[in-house]
Amino acid sequence: MTAPSRSAPAETPAVRCRSLGVSFGTVQALREVSLDLAPGRIHALVGQNGAGKTTLAKVLGGLQAPQTGDVYIDGRRIPPGDVRAAQIAGLAMVHQHFSLPPSFTVAEALELTAARKGGRSFFRRSELHRQWQNEVAELGGPTMLSTRIRDLPVETRQSLEIVRALAGDARILLLDEPTALLTPAAIDQLFERLLRLRDEGVTILIVLHKLREVAAVAETVSVLRDGELVLGPREMAEVSEGLLSDAIVGPAFGTDRTISMAPAVKPTQETLLELVGLSSRESAFELGLDEINLRVESGEIVGIAGVEGNGQRSLVSVIAGLAPVAEGTMRLGGVDATRTGPAGRRQRGLRLVPFDRNTEGISRSAPLWLNQSALRLVGRHRWRLPLISLRQYKRQAAEDMDTWRVRYDTVAQPAESLSGGNVQRLILSRELSPGLEVLVAAQPTRGLDFSATDFVRRSLRELRDGGAGVLLISSDLDELFELSDRLLVMYGGRIVARFDAPYDRRAVGDAMTGAQR
Amino acid sequence: MTGGLQRVASTVVLVALSLLLTALILWVSGYRVGDVFSGIIQGAVTAPGAFTSTIRWAIPLLLIGLGVVIGFRTGFFNIGGQGQFYIGACCALAVSLGWREGPVPLVMLCGTLAAVGAGTVWSLLPGYLRVRFGTDEVLTTLMMSFIGALVLQYLTAGPMRNPSGTGQTAASERIPDAFRITDGSGVSATVLVLVGGVALLVWLLLERTRFGLSMTLVGRNPTMARWQGINVSRVGLAAFALSGALAGLAGAVELYGPGARLVTGFSPEVGFTAVVVALVGLLTVGGTVVAAVLFGGLQSAIIFLPIVTDLPPPALVLLHGMVAFLVTIRFRAVRRPKTLGGKAAAS
């Protein structure tokens, strides 16, 4: 083990990691990440989705063992992947998703989940309340101790997560995207809390998406991109939002590759998909849509850029007919489809490549042929005999899969036996079937290797050139720049910017992160 | 196909293992294992009338079991077949006694339809709760099953009690002989054709229709099915309805066949054994037919055994339980039903 050659700073870093490497299969989630976090300060960690932020937080918290590298807390090495050791060393995590049991009262939940020593098997309620009343004093006083977690507003639950995390005398707090579900006012409150904690000497590492939030709370900032630390912990005073935005989205090598050829001649301009003032209510997992206006015409690919979690999932669900529309109109091929069910929309030529291929796109345990034939099962077939020929279904499925070069042994094998790229080919072979008018493709190349990615992109382009309309939702800017004829940016459930090719990477990046220069 | 063969083989092994374990327990308890098993063979096959009795018991097991297959295929555990069976029989009885002077075919048709309808309703209620609110159907169908048993008990002890009956158990009046489709043996050409036809229809539905394929898809992954435009709630309700309808039909067959009247707590095991039958049958129609005959034989032997050995009937119920236990472990471990509907899907 080589000691750092530079002379150690006056204080030992509260958290130090050296050349961390983590890979999941072929995906390198973290590469040679080395980081020092000075004690008693608020450090921000930013980056796009899939950049490795959560993985890094998990490694530091001992939830994920790195393949290479070491983690030190207050100068002591923590055995890799040992949560308990990290806790004892004084590190606590607040996860992206709330972990307090909803049916418990506040006091019970805190007592049960707090990582502190000396918890007893039996307790008296009054004693429990006395123990916790100081901790929750500023959140709503002693009466809240008997409130059930599920009855609390989101921001209070978030605060309780922090109370819980700090209950074991933690001196280092990791927060993984704590602002994702909070309202702006609640975010301000959270930040005030964090600043107070900082003043009490707690070291904080907070994972954030929005530059405005980084500027509001952090003292130093680090940027991860594709698993690499591209910008070390730098003082906030030294960096501009523009610099950060560039570091997050990466060098602009993609710009010269963007649409240089004129889009294919559109034979008859026809609006295939149109959303007019469309809003939807937020769900527990995703922002709602706020007055979305967009149209996809024949022979064009419309890109939707945005940091994930800004309403893209709601957008796809609403278009699919799986989430209710609160206000506004959706048209398919010029005809109102707002009240049409999912099956009806499919029959009017809507095809979908959903976000989660393995749960929404395929049925993992069902045989390939059934997965491939799924679209043939819905809709009007009344005038035909109810009986079908399985042999014909299987033959058709095999034919379609062969066309799309799905690699398989028999049509009866379960879909889970396919690799990611092959699953995507299977989905495309089903969705890009006759009758297609407009395709909504959500992250169609995520996690695919180079050749599969190339294949999917070529397919989308061919589709466009054939006169279909494509709505492409992606968090990969290079992909969007390469494919889109027009580009919209989603932020906070709204479409906040529209761009035409050639794209200005900086401007798009700023719109995505909400940066102001 | 190797996967299919493997599943068949593992089921055979599990059934054999249950036999072995049961034999072990009987042996430890001091019974002569050889006698017991030769008694089972006699009671199920070789003794006079034994095979007829096997088929007689296989019939309700098959009908209810097919309903269970439909439910499981779609991802639901309808284990309330017993109650749906009872309610169906009660409704068929009410129609047959209430309108005993009517034209025989019409009364029987109405009685059968009433039984089917009642079974459907008994199963649709938990089905609706499941699809709409995500309520666990294992609990609700089981509870409904108890209610069904109590309704039967009430009717046979109260409003439908045979006033001239002298027996200790509460029983209803007998239906007119003209309504019977079998004699007391419970087997006749009519019944066999009817049950065979139903099995064929279920097979066609599951294996040869779009709706059947939709059911499989919903059972495997409701989220994906929804994204494909399949109306998951409607498919789910249909599965519950069909499942209950078949159990109700079994009730009517029981009444018009071997029963002729209803006795409190008659055929107390069939509804639950049918679940095991469906599982041992690997949730296929053909497999369920085989398994129904197997368990029909066991049921027949349970009745016969005390005659030839000193073995009490519960000792063979032990065998049932053993098979159920082992097969269920396997099933639950390999294929948990995916969440569907309501809050279950959200978590």
Side-chain angles (χ1 to χ4, degrees):
Chain A
M1 203 167 301
T2 54
S5 54
R6 285 167 296 164
S7 61
E11 303 169 289
T12 8
V15 177
R16 151 174 293 191
C17 58
R18 281 292 168 263
S19 31
L20 293 179
V22 174
S23 55
F24 302 110
T26 56
V27 182
Q28 188 87 27
L30 287 181
R31 260 179 253 262
E32 292 287 311
V33 172
S34 301
L35 183 70
D36 284 349
L37 300 178
R41 310 197 67 190
I42 301 184
H43 308 273
L45 180 63
V46 295
Q48 283 190 297
N49 275 96
K53 302 179 303 277
T54 298
T55 309
L56 179 57
K58 281 186 172 167
V59 168
L60 297 179
L63 288 162
Q64 165 83 48
Q67 272 102 7
T68 63
D70 294 293
V71 176
Y72 304 85
I73 294 175
D74 288 331
R76 278 193 311 269
R77 183 171 171 274
I78 301 297
D82 188 339
V83 186
R84 194 72 198 123
Q87 282 174 352
I88 290 169
L91 186 143
M93 258 190 104
V94 174
H95 297 282
Q96 216 165 334
H97 301 291
F98 299 157
S99 55
L100 293 173
S103 59
F104 281 37
T105 68
V106 169
E108 290 165 352
L110 288 173
E111 180 68 20
L112 177 75
T113 58
R116 64 171 188 183
K117 295 179 281 272
R120 295 204 315 255
S121 309
F122 295 93
F123 61 82
R124 217 177 306 151
R125 196 165 295 271
S126 55
E127 199 180 315
L128 200 63
H129 284 208
R130 189 152 34 79
Q131 272 175 6
W132 287 102
Q133 65 192 10
N134 288 338
E135 268 88 351
V136 299
E138 54 184 309
L139 294 177
T143 52
M144 80 170 298
L145 282 170
S146 37
T147 315
R148 306 230 171 249
I149 297 286
R150 60 165 175 253
D151 297 330
L152 294 170
V154 188
E155 51 269 25
T156 314
R157 286 166 81 167
Q158 176 90 58
S159 309
L160 281 174
E161 296 278 345
I162 297 172
V163 168
R164 177 192 67 112
L166 292 172
D169 295 325
R171 305 304 298 156
I172 303 161
L173 188 59
L174 298 187
L175 299 109
D176 190 6
E177 294 189 30
T179 58
L181 295 169
L182 300 185
T183 60
I187 292 175
D188 290 344
Q189 268 180 5
L190 170 69
F191 287 175
E192 271 169 41
R193 265 184 88 74
L194 293 182
L195 289 168
R196 262 197 319 256
L197 286 169
R198 190 262 329 254
D199 294 340
E200 291 163 16
V202 176
T203 311
I204 295 168
L205 177 66
I206 178 168
V207 175
L208 288 171
H209 262 323
K210 293 174 185 160
L211 295 185
R212 200 161 11 90
E213 296 173 359
V214 175
V217 70
E219 294 164 286
T220 83
V221 60
S222 312
V223 179
L224 276 175
R225 189 175 72 233
D226 295 334
E228 276 178 272
L229 193 71
V230 290
L231 191 107
R234 293 268 293 272
E235 293 295 323
M236 277 304 289
E238 296 173 13
V239 295
S240 68
E241 288 202 352
L243 178 75
L244 281 179
S245 164
D246 290 345
I248 292 168
V249 295
F253 67 84
T255 37
D256 8 346
R257 280 198 284 135
T258 52
I259 319 290
S260 47
M261 53 183 159
V265 192
K266 298 167 188 176
T268 49
Q269 198 96 349
E270 198 189 336
T271 305
L272 298 174
L273 171 69
E274 193 176 13
L275 308 184
V276 185
L278 201 77
S279 301
S280 74
R281 221 159 280 140
E282 62 183 7
S283 72
F285 309 98
E286 176 79 356
L287 280 174
L289 302 178
D290 189 0
E291 301 224 356
I292 299 280
N293 290 300
L294 71 82
R295 53 163 63 201
V296 180
E297 311 206 331
S298 52
E300 72 168 352
I301 297 179
V302 177
I304 302 263
V307 174
E308 216 172 290
N310 276 287
Q312 293 96 323
R313 278 171 194 268
S314 295
L315 180 67
V316 177
S317 303
V318 164
I319 293 176
L322 298 173
V325 171
E327 239 176 284
T329 314
M330 169 177 156
R331 295 195 191 95
L332 274 173
V335 183
D336 190 348
T338 319
R339 305 258 161 265
T340 310
R345 295 183 190 196
R346 293 308 209 125
Q347 290 203 301
R348 278 157 69 174
L350 175 67
R351 296 288 190 272
L352 298 157
V353 176
F355 273 100
D356 296 324
R357 314 190 243 291
N358 289 322
T359 54
E360 298 164 346
I362 58 162
S363 174
R364 291 170 58 79
S365 64
L368 288 181
W369 69 267
L370 188 55
N371 271 294
Q372 214 287 329
S373 311
L375 272 183
R376 289 191 263 276
L377 301 179
V378 293
R380 306 179 302 258
H381 295 282
R382 290 188 208 289
W383 50 275
R384 272 196 246 166
L385 259 179
L387 296 191
I388 55 173
S389 152
L390 285 201
R391 197 180 304 151
Q392 198 188 319
Y393 266 53
K394 288 176 182 167
R395 196 177 336 112
Q396 182 70 49
E399 224 168 78
D400 288 352
M401 288 193 291
D402 290 342
T403 312
W404 288 88
R405 306 250 163 71
V406 182
R407 257 192 265 146
Y408 62 95
D409 294 325
T410 93
V411 291
Q413 80 194 62
E416 64 199 342
S417 58
L418 297 185
S419 69
N422 267 317
V423 165
Q424 200 67 312
R425 281 170 195 262
L426 169 66
I427 292 174
L428 290 173
S429 82
R430 178 181 68 215
E431 301 294 330
L432 273 55
S433 52
L436 179 148
E437 295 277 321
V438 58
L439 175 77
V440 176
Q443 299 278 27
T445 62
R446 171 155 50 188
L448 300 189
D449 60 20
F450 178 76
S451 69
T453 301
D454 186 53
F455 174 82
V456 170
R457 291 184 185 166
R458 243 183 312 127
S459 308
L460 294 184
R461 241 184 260 117
E462 278 167 23
L463 201 62
R464 184 255 322 265
D465 296 344
V470 178
L471 186 66
L472 172 65
I473 295 124
S474 178
S475 52
D476 181 344
L477 277 186
D478 290 321
E479 172 169 283
L480 287 167
F481 290 171
E482 191 187 320
L483 294 174
S484 312
D485 298 306
R486 294 188 290 123
L487 191 60
L488 314 177
V489 176
M490 273 190 94
Y491 182 80
R494 312 173 65 96
I495 288 176
V496 292
R498 292 161 195 270
F499 298 93
D500 285 309
Y503 303 109
D504 177 352
R505 175 175 280 266
R506 279 185 139 199
V508 174
D510 288 353
M512 280 169 61
T513 51
Q516 278 143 16
R517 284 175 203 262
Chain B
M1 273 301 99
T2 48
L5 269 181
Q6 215 171 5
R7 287 184 347 126
V8 172
S10 83
T11 306
V12 171
V13 167
L14 283 175
V15 172
L17 193 64
S18 338
L19 280 171
L20 214 66
L21 284 173
T22 310
L24 189 72
I25 293 173
L26 292 180
W27 178 66
V28 168
S29 320
Y31 292 101
R32 309 244 306 264
V33 176
D35 287 358
V36 171
F37 280 97
S38 86
I40 292 179
I41 302 289
Q42 284 177 49
V45 192
T46 54
F51 193 65
T52 312
S53 167
T54 294
I55 299 298
R56 176 254 178 277
W57 288 108
I59 287 166
L61 289 176
L62 176 61
L63 287 176
I64 303 173
L66 288 175
V68 175
V69 169
I70 292 176
F72 278 32
R73 279 278 186 109
T74 321
F76 303 110
F77 282 69
N78 174 11
I79 58 166
Q82 187 75 40
Q84 294 148 17
F85 170 70
Y86 279 167
I87 284 293
C90 288
C91 287
L93 179 74
V95 169
S96 308
L97 290 182
W99 194 20
R100 66 182 87 194
E101 281 81 35
V104 172
L106 197 60
V107 174
M108 289 179 69
L109 185 68
C110 288
T112 308
L113 288 179
V116 168
T120 306
V121 169
W122 221 247
S123 162
L124 261 183
L125 192 73
Y128 176 77
L129 292 175
R130 172 66 205 258
V131 167
R132 182 75 181 75
F133 303 108
T135 318
D136 190 340
E137 79 284 4
V138 174
L139 290 175
T140 48
T141 51
L142 188 62
M143 296 303 160
M144 288 293 284
S145 188
F146 293 139
I147 298 174
L150 292 172
V151 168
L152 172 75
Q153 198 177 331
Y154 166 70
L155 289 179
T156 50
M160 285 185 176
R161 177 167 193 144
N162 184 359
S164 59
T166 53
Q168 284 155 341
T169 50
S172 76
E173 258 180 273
R174 291 177 71 87
I175 56 170
D177 275 345
F179 292 161
R180 305 281 302 277
I181 48 176
T182 72
D183 54 17
S185 74
V187 180
S188 71
T190 322
V191 169
L192 291 179
V193 168
L194 176 77
V195 173
V198 168
L200 183 68
L201 282 178
V202 171
W203 181 79
L204 285 173
L205 169 77
L206 286 177
E207 311 288 350
R208 290 291 180 273
T209 66
R210 284 183 199 87
F211 197 75
L213 295 185
S214 306
M215 285 177 152
T216 307
L217 220 42
V218 169
R220 297 289 177 138
N221 180 352
T223 309
M224 180 263 194
R226 200 174 286 135
W227 277 90
Q228 291 302 310
I230 292 173
N231 189 333
V232 171
S233 303
R234 193 189 297 163
V235 171
L237 285 178
F240 272 106
L242 285 170
S243 189
L246 284 166
L249 177 67
V253 170
E254 186 71 22
L255 177 75
Y256 292 132
R261 59 175 190 156
L262 298 188
V263 182
T264 287
F266 70 99
S267 308
E269 304 289 337
V270 286
F272 299 106
T273 308
V275 176
V276 184
V277 165
L279 291 176
V280 171
L282 294 170
L283 303 184
T284 63
V285 174
T288 304
V289 172
V290 174
V293 173
L294 203 72
F295 279 84
L298 217 50
Q299 188 67 40
S300 169
I302 287 177
I303 297 163
F304 175 81
L305 259 191
I307 305 170
V308 292
T309 67
D310 52 350
L311 196 67
L316 278 194
V317 179
L318 182 73
L319 178 57
H320 264 187
M322 205 66 87
V323 178
F325 181 62
L326 290 176
V327 172
T328 311
I329 289 178
R330 203 268 309 262
F331 183 81
R332 293 291 280 196
V334 175
R335 269 196 28 167
R336 273 189 157 283
K338 303 291 192 310
T339 53
L340 183 139
K343 283 172 187 157
S347 59

